[in-house]
Amino acid sequence: MAKITVTLPDGSVREYNSTVTPLQVLREWKPELEDEILLAEVNGQVWDLFRPLPEGEVQLRFLDFNDPPARDAYRHTAAHILAHAVKELFPEAKLAIGPPIEEGYYYDFDVPRPFTPEDLERIEQKMREIVAADYPLERLELTKEEARKLLEEMGETYKLEILDELPDERVSFYRQDGFIDLCRGPHVPSTGRIKALKLLSASGAYWRGDERNPMLQRIYGTCFPTEEQLQEFLRRLEEAQKRDHRKLGRELNLFIIDETIGSGLVLWLPNGALIRKQIEDFWREQHLKRGYQLVYTPHIARDELWRKSGHLELYSEFMFPTMQIEAHKYLLKPMNCPFHITIYKTQTRSYRDLPIRLCELGTVYRYERSGVLHGLLRVRGFTQDDAHIFCTPDQVKEEVKAAVQFALFILRTFGFSEFEVKIATRPEGKFAGTLEGWERAERELQEVAQELGLDYELDIGGGAFYGPKIDIFLRDCLGRRWQCSTIQLDFNLPERLDVTYIGPDNKEHKVVMVHRALFGSMERFMAVLTEHYAGAFPVWLAPVQVAVLPISERHLPYATQVAERLQAEGVRVEILAKSEPISGRIFDAEARKVPYMLIVGDREAQSGTVSVRERGRKDHGSMPLEQFVDWLKPQLKPPKVE
Ligand SMILES: [Zn+2]
Ligand SMILES: [Zn+2]
């Protein structure tokens, strides 16, 4: 056997003349770390701790739960333990896929009936037994032929389908005790490494997310190295469930998705529509202030347009089928860009006219598989807060900078303060435009981030073929990350659709186009806002801002007077005068998350005051009505941010 030369993270070098695993090296180097180290990295590649090192020069690193690949391996092993437990309890179950996900893992099974809560308890119990037995994991490599034979014997038809799609000649399996699974890995060394585990839920999921395929049963679970981490996660999960926009959407009459309309198609209910109007008014006002021009465009266009724009060639899998109208074929728009380009091209543009910024709250339709639709976050019809900036190459930097500042201003106005910025650069292979154009743009995007004092992450090669982009992610009050704003350069469409301006040299030049959305879409942003505020929207957005509650019927005239005074200030006010006792009506207003409740009785009517309660059971005592009006007024407008 040839030599293995291992370089450790501290620069020390060890030599081996026979088979050695990362775990054995770790035990010699730093045995005290064995409990927390889950995975190795060998020459930059993730590697099981129990997999023999390759011959030759090896750069070896060790990863713990804080390293995303190790966390994934940890959770993936838990997914195998889940499948192992299910196979023991339900031997007829067939395995589909079981990946780690953001906060845990899942596994899909083909079983005759859905799992019940009692099943989940039994499965979880069985998983604990498998963990307690501390079975070592083993990795084996088979040829595709051997693998096919094995999976056929096991009757794992879904795995056979996956196998057929693998390009490799040799494939890996992982085994623990009697359980074996076709799997790329990597994994942690033994089942006993999984400390705190929990199954979370079970639900139906179509094979490959397509409703034409068989319905499988998916079990979600999570696991952590310590019980404290698990409990902290469960607490956050409970908080997130309380804030789930689908639940609050129904409870607060914000929106619904009704199967009679169709999957992924949103009905905005009056309360949600009012919030949306507030957001849109603010959005339009701010755009007009910043030199954008508002346009409206139709929802369908002729197939010729989509052919020229390249959408039919590159994007057709997301487009709804063609409709024939008289002599022409039409398609629903998946994007607004070709419309805005057509508007731009209605005139000859001079360099003196640029930049031209066209904006629209444009509703687009994209086909998404039914399995991936999710509340307002993944839908089939949505309204982008879209804009296209047409400019010269020299104007790109300034325009992008202004767009990033604009995005941050807007997001801050809605109460967000933590952002992450990602810049995606030129992908491998084919790209539009010139290499110099890309290099300049990539440099300028980074300068923009630096000049604005933003920490940014570079996503090397992560850009689309048509141009680099800046994405802005926000963190909500639970620390969850959401993508909202995108500022995307485009060297392709101006070329393809011949979008030009006349330069100072009197010649035609191609414009640079910037696609840009700040919220992403109204639907998505509404979901993020609803969860961020847990439905308790700030006063300027709240559908009902003030509820007036007369203590008894004889206080109704004064309550009406109070309401009229507030309406005169543009306040959205409602009188809650049902015969129900006052405590029930307060409860009702709290449940609807109305920001202010004014309680009026004899004392208030006589002295021209109101008793002010703020949402969340905050009592401000009684004050003159005019004082309340003065207090409320500034809250009716969006908050001022720099
Ligand atoms: Zn696996
Ligand atoms: Zn666009």
Side-chain angles (χ1 to χ4, degrees):
M1 153 126 206
K3 228 166 47 177
I4 304 171
T5 309
V6 177
T7 307
L8 287 156
D10 62 3
S12 63
V13 176
R14 278 159 200 265
E15 303 212 331
Y16 298 89
N17 292 311
S18 59
T19 308
V20 66
T21 65
L23 191 57
Q24 287 164 329
V25 177
L26 180 67
R27 280 175 182 155
E28 291 173 17
W29 180 53
K30 286 193 174 173
E32 70 280 9
L33 292 184
E34 187 179 336
D35 278 351
E36 54 199 81
I37 295 302
L38 301 170
L39 193 67
E41 197 186 87
V42 172
N43 300 331
Q45 227 191 321
V46 288
W47 200 271
D48 306 299
L49 285 174
F50 51 92
R51 181 176 173 190
L53 288 171
E55 292 169 7
E57 298 279 334
V58 168
Q59 295 283 339
L60 184 59
R61 281 184 63 219
F62 294 102
L63 310 180
D64 65 20
F65 193 75
N66 294 316
D67 299 301
R71 196 181 314 152
D72 282 351
Y74 191 77
R75 290 175 166 161
H76 192 103
T77 303
H80 276 218
I81 295 171
L82 165 60
H84 186 170
V86 167
K87 282 295 244 186
E88 292 214 347
L89 295 171
F90 305 87
E92 74 287 3
K94 284 185 193 172
L95 305 179
I97 54 165
I101 51 176
E102 171 104 21
E103 307 253 46
Y105 53 89
Y106 68 79
Y107 216 113
D108 285 347
F109 304 95
D110 189 347
V111 278
R113 61 162 178 84
F115 294 110
T116 63
E118 294 72 40
D119 291 336
L120 289 194
E121 268 173 43
R122 282 173 61 214
I123 295 166
E124 200 179 283
Q125 187 47 43
K126 182 57 85 181
M127 289 173 74
R128 291 185 205 289
E129 289 169 29
I130 295 167
V131 167
D134 197 19
Y135 298 119
L137 274 90
E138 253 180 283
R139 180 180 194 276
L140 27 147
E141 272 187 21
L142 301 182
T143 65
K144 242 176 154 171
E145 263 328 294
E146 293 166 332
R148 183 168 295 113
K149 228 179 114 212
L150 176 63
L151 291 171
E152 272 165 4
E153 277 166 20
M154 291 160 60
E156 295 289 1
T157 48
Y158 298 96
K159 295 287 180 190
L160 279 164
E161 231 180 274
I162 296 168
L163 180 72
D164 285 337
E165 286 163 12
L166 296 178
D168 325 71
E169 261 321 294
R170 294 178 72 78
V171 295
S172 57
F173 282 75
Y174 281 77
R175 179 161 64 193
Q176 67 210 28
D177 191 35
F179 174 80
I180 185 161
D181 196 0
L182 171 68
C183 179
R184 178 168 295 140
H187 283 279
V188 301
S190 68
T191 58
R193 299 298 291 266
I194 307 303
K195 300 297 179 200
L197 66 83
K198 176 102 191 125
L199 293 185
L200 300 170
S201 62
S203 61
Y206 292 104
W207 170 233
R208 297 183 189 280
D210 187 329
E211 63 189 350
R212 289 162 298 188
N213 287 336
M215 168 75 93
L216 306 173
Q217 297 302 321
R218 173 171 300 176
I219 297 179
Y220 286 99
T222 194
C223 58
F224 289 89
T226 67
E227 189 60 31
E228 294 76 63
Q229 282 167 293
L230 175 64
Q231 290 309 323
E232 165 61 17
F233 167 79
L234 293 175
R235 200 192 53 72
R236 265 194 303 126
L237 183 67
E238 197 187 332
E239 187 55 36
Q241 279 165 351
K242 271 191 248 158
R243 291 165 180 263
D244 190 319
H245 70 278
R246 294 167 300 176
K247 175 174 164 281
L248 290 172
R250 263 191 316 275
E251 287 171 8
L252 300 174
N253 267 311
L254 302 175
F255 75 92
I256 53 164
I257 292 171
D258 188 310
E259 282 307 315
T260 53
I261 307 291
S263 303
L265 300 169
V266 180
L267 294 174
W268 291 72
L269 303 176
N271 284 343
L274 199 128
I275 294 169
R276 176 167 168 172
K277 177 204 167 285
Q278 293 298 104
I279 300 172
E280 290 186 355
D281 286 352
F282 176 69
W283 186 92
R284 286 197 191 91
E285 181 194 304
Q286 292 300 325
H287 278 73
L288 295 177
K289 234 184 198 174
R290 285 169 171 78
Y292 285 78
Q293 295 169 287
L294 208 52
V295 296
Y296 293 90
T297 65
H299 289 215
I300 62 174
R302 286 174 52 187
D303 61 349
E304 209 35 49
L305 178 77
W306 303 112
R307 188 162 300 116
K308 277 197 196 135
S309 69
H311 284 90
L312 275 183
E313 182 192 328
L314 301 165
Y315 204 72
S316 59
E317 60 176 314
F318 296 109
M319 292 172 76
F320 286 94
T322 314
M323 44 197 143
Q324 180 82 38
I325 302 170
E326 294 175 350
H328 298 294
K329 291 193 172 72
Y330 290 79
L331 286 124
L332 271 168
K333 66 172 166 183
M335 295 186 193
N336 303 301
C337 339
F339 295 74
H340 292 187
I341 289 173
T342 309
I343 291 172
Y344 176 92
K345 289 179 68 174
T346 52
Q347 291 175 37
T348 306
R349 311 286 184 171
S350 142
Y351 69 96
R352 287 188 214 89
D353 302 327
L354 301 186
I356 287 175
R357 311 180 188 94
L358 301 179
C359 69
E360 176 181 17
L361 292 160
T363 303
V364 298
Y365 296 88
R366 294 182 189 172
Y367 169 69
E368 298 266 14
R369 284 173 296 128
S370 50
V372 302
L373 297 174
H374 180 91
L376 294 181
L377 289 171
R378 285 292 279 276
V379 288
R380 285 178 174 165
F382 55 95
T383 301
Q384 289 183 303
D385 65 313
D386 210 359
H388 293 94
I389 301 167
F390 302 88
C391 61
T392 69
D394 288 340
Q395 291 169 331
V396 167
K397 183 177 167 188
E398 208 176 311
E399 287 303 309
V400 169
K401 188 172 179 180
V404 172
Q405 283 176 303
F406 191 9
L408 295 175
F409 165 80
I410 290 258
L411 298 176
R412 286 192 177 114
T413 301
F414 286 90
F416 299 102
S417 54
E418 267 187 75
F419 307 104
E420 281 164 37
V421 177
K422 208 180 206 177
I423 297 176
T425 64
R426 187 169 51 82
E428 295 277 323
K430 214 183 95 185
F431 60 89
T434 63
L435 195 56
E436 301 77 64
W438 272 86
E439 280 170 355
R440 175 177 179 183
E442 287 171 359
R443 192 181 63 240
E444 288 180 343
L445 294 192
Q446 294 184 61
E447 285 168 6
V448 164
Q450 286 156 4
E451 286 166 21
L452 295 175
L454 298 167
D455 280 334
Y456 62 93
E457 195 187 311
L458 266 188
D459 181 7
I460 306 278
F465 79 93
Y466 47 89
K469 66 169 175 173
I470 295 189
D471 285 331
I472 300 175
F473 299 82
L474 58 82
R475 287 207 181 263
D476 71 7
C477 59
L478 293 187
R480 294 175 300 176
R481 194 171 114 125
W482 306 84
Q483 188 186 346
C484 290
S485 315
T486 296
I487 297 153
Q488 165 83 58
L489 267 55
D490 191 338
F491 301 124
N492 174 53
L493 278 181
E495 199 65 52
R496 242 193 125 107
L497 294 174
D498 194 28
V499 192
T500 59
Y501 65 95
I502 307 295
D505 56 0
N506 250 328
K507 292 201 182 97
E508 273 199 353
H509 301 269
K510 295 281 188 282
V511 299
V512 178
M513 223 179 127
V514 181
H515 310 253
R516 182 240 69 169
L518 307 181
F519 299 136
S521 75
M522 299 310 292
E523 286 72 11
R524 184 176 178 75
F525 195 64
M526 185 67 179
V528 176
L529 270 189
T530 304
E531 300 206 0
H532 180 65
Y533 288 120
F537 293 95
V539 175
W540 73 284
L541 293 172
V544 175
Q545 295 165 315
V546 176
V548 185
L549 292 76
I551 289 176
S552 75
E553 204 141 331
R554 69 174 189 282
H555 306 117
L556 189 56
Y558 180 62
T560 309
Q561 222 179 302
V562 168
E564 280 168 359
R565 173 70 190 92
L566 291 169
Q567 272 157 354
E569 294 291 341
V571 179
R572 296 185 288 276
V573 53
E574 209 176 282
I575 300 177
L576 299 184
K578 282 178 296 183
S579 54
E580 213 183 318
I582 189 86
S583 59
R585 283 178 279 150
I586 290 175
F587 183 82
D588 184 43
E590 284 276 3
R592 289 166 57 195
K593 304 191 192 283
V594 177
Y596 290 108
M597 285 151 261
L598 304 182
I599 295 147
V600 294
D602 288 333
R603 203 155 42 95
E604 285 79 11
Q606 274 152 26
S607 57
T609 59
V610 288
S611 226
V612 182
R613 266 180 79 106
E614 194 181 336
R615 179 174 59 195
R617 300 199 192 88
K618 273 174 261 165
D619 194 346
H620 293 281
S622 100
M623 62 177 84
L625 176 58
E626 287 312 310
Q627 190 186 326
F628 175 71
V629 170
D630 288 344
W631 186 37
L632 186 65
K633 260 190 190 163
Q635 301 179 52
L636 301 174
K637 285 185 277 195
K640 293 237 179 311
V641 299
E642 90 284 10

